[in-house]
Structure formats: structure tokens, C-alpha cells
Amino acid sequence: MWWLDIHTCVMIGVESAGEVIAVGPGVTDLKVGDLAVYCYTPIGSYAEEQILPASRAVPVPPSISPVLAAAIFLKGVTVQYLIRRCFKVEPGHRVLVHAAAGGVGSLLCQWANALGATVIGIVSTKEKAIQAKEDGCSYVIIYKDEDFVSMVNEITLGQGVDVVYDSVGKDNFQGSLACLKPQGYLVNFGFASGIPDPVPVTALLAKSLFLASTSLKHHTATREELLEAAGELFKNVTSGVLKLRANHKYPLLQASQAHVDLENRKTSGSIVLIA
């Protein structure tokens, strides 16, 4: 994760699911033997066992497996705050999603489509374009073959999109602004290509645009917020609105190979490490 201090981290990993093997005094909503999941903090989920604050551990419904819970939770609650809080997606909205075949992007496309939005996905390959279509994208742009700004302009008949969800950052930032309609929203939640250059306020004024750079920790800071996001996520999973591709499973001891494959774009969907 871009925000981790690699000089102070001993363990890495910010999400996991597993069986509760002990609880401290005063814990009432979890018991030994329950399946629980957590994300974001504390760091250190690349481990066989982990100590968690009870406030960050979320009970998992019996209908959801440990692998599915581990694979979907961080990405799913991220999507929940993006499309239900940062910009509330509604029927008729036009939504542009960068990295549409990624772990977050895949779920975001499915959820936005289920809410009645027209989803435009941006991907890197023809194979990922097929997946994005399956996940509810009405249009898919392969950015290596096509200029995504020109294509969005063509698709929307020059009107632009209501919102852009961007986890890429620097490389796509100016193009994302260009794709927005007047009073559109650019919601940035990651910097895969680096941190964008500073933007003068006048660049937003030209179309009265809204810009947000967001973090999950501020949207799940309280237990109430965390449980609300988790509840909506689990409801959509059990109802079939959201389907996760846990396409890649590695033993925990092969975590380094998982990272290599991810960096070389050999993966799609979610990766699960199993201890």
C-alpha cells in the first residue's frame, strides 16, 4: 500500500478473515469459533494468527466462506463508501471506472450497474474487457488501444460523465477531469501511477467540478460506520448482486510470488493468501 512506511513495517497486510480463537473481557458480539474479518488497521495480516481490537473485527454471516470474506471485505467496503457516500450513484448516472477489471473496479462496476447507472470501464487488455462487460459495463475502453477521453466524449455525445472513480492517479488525472460533465465529480482513491501534479482551483472552476481524494479509514472510523458498510456489502453478496472472482490463491509462504505476478499484470480480480 502506498501509505505504508516500509522502514517501520515489520509485517505487511491489511485484511484477513479467520476463526476467532480467543476473546478478551467485555467482547459480546464475537465468540470463540466465529468467523470474523477485518481490514485496514492494524497492519500485519500476512500471518497465521493475529491480535485484533474487537472494534475492528466484524462477524461474517454463515453464508459467506472464509476465502470469500478475506477476498471481498476491504474492496467491498471501499466500494460501499465510494458509491454510497462520496458520490451517491443513482439510476441514470453515467459512471467512469478506471481499472475496471481489478479487485475494487470489478465490484464497483457490478454495484453501480445494479443501482441503474450506465457504467463505462477502462481496462488494459481484451481479456479484461470481456470481464468488465460481464461485470455490468455498458461500454469498455482499452486504454492501450484507444484514447479514453475521446472515447468517453463519443459515448456520452459530448456530455461527459457524472462521476469518475480513479485509483490510478497521475497518469489519468487530467484526462479524468476532461471526461466530467459540468458539476461532475472526480473521486480519487489510489495512486497506482503516482501522485498527480497539483491542480489549480481554476481548473475545477471551468466546469464547476468537484474533486475528492478519499481514504477508507475516514469512512469506517467508528464501529457504527464499519458495521453499516459491512452490512450493506454482505447483503449484496448474499443476494447475488456482487460476485467476486477470487481467481488466484497462493499459500502464505508464496506471498512474494503473488506480488510478482500482480506487478507483472498476470492477475485479475482478487488474490487470496491461505495460511
Side-chain angles (χ1 to χ4, degrees), residues 2 36 51 81 84 92 104 112 142 198 226 240 242 258 264 275:
W2 64 270
I51 299 174
Y81 90 76
R84 306 306 289 159
V104 172
I142 302 175
L226 177 62
L242 298 179
N264 290 321

Side-chain angles (χ1 to χ4, degrees), residues 219-242:
H219 292 272
T220 56
T222 68
R223 182 151 183 82
E224 290 74 19
E225 290 172 328
L226 177 62
L227 292 178
E228 179 186 349
E232 191 168 359
L233 168 64
F234 292 149
K235 178 182 177 180
N236 281 325
V237 172
T238 55
S239 68
V241 168
L242 298 179

Side-chain angles (χ1 to χ4, degrees), residues 245-263:
R245 292 177 179 83
N247 293 338
H248 310 277
K249 301 180 183 68
Y250 299 78
L252 180 60
L253 291 176
Q254 294 180 13
S256 60
Q257 184 60 51
H259 280 257
V260 169
D261 291 347
L262 177 63
E263 291 166 7

Side-chain angles (χ1 to χ4, degrees), residues 16-41:
S16 67
E19 181 182 343
V20 177
I21 60 174
V23 296
V27 177
T28 58
D29 56 350
L30 285 167
K31 64 182 184 301
V32 173
D34 285 349
L35 177 63
V37 67
Y38 97 100
C39 67
Y40 206 86
T41 56

Side-chain angles (χ1 to χ4, degrees), residues 52-70:
L52 297 176
S55 62
R56 305 309 299 173
V58 175
V60 177
S63 59
I64 297 177
S65 70
V67 169
L68 178 56

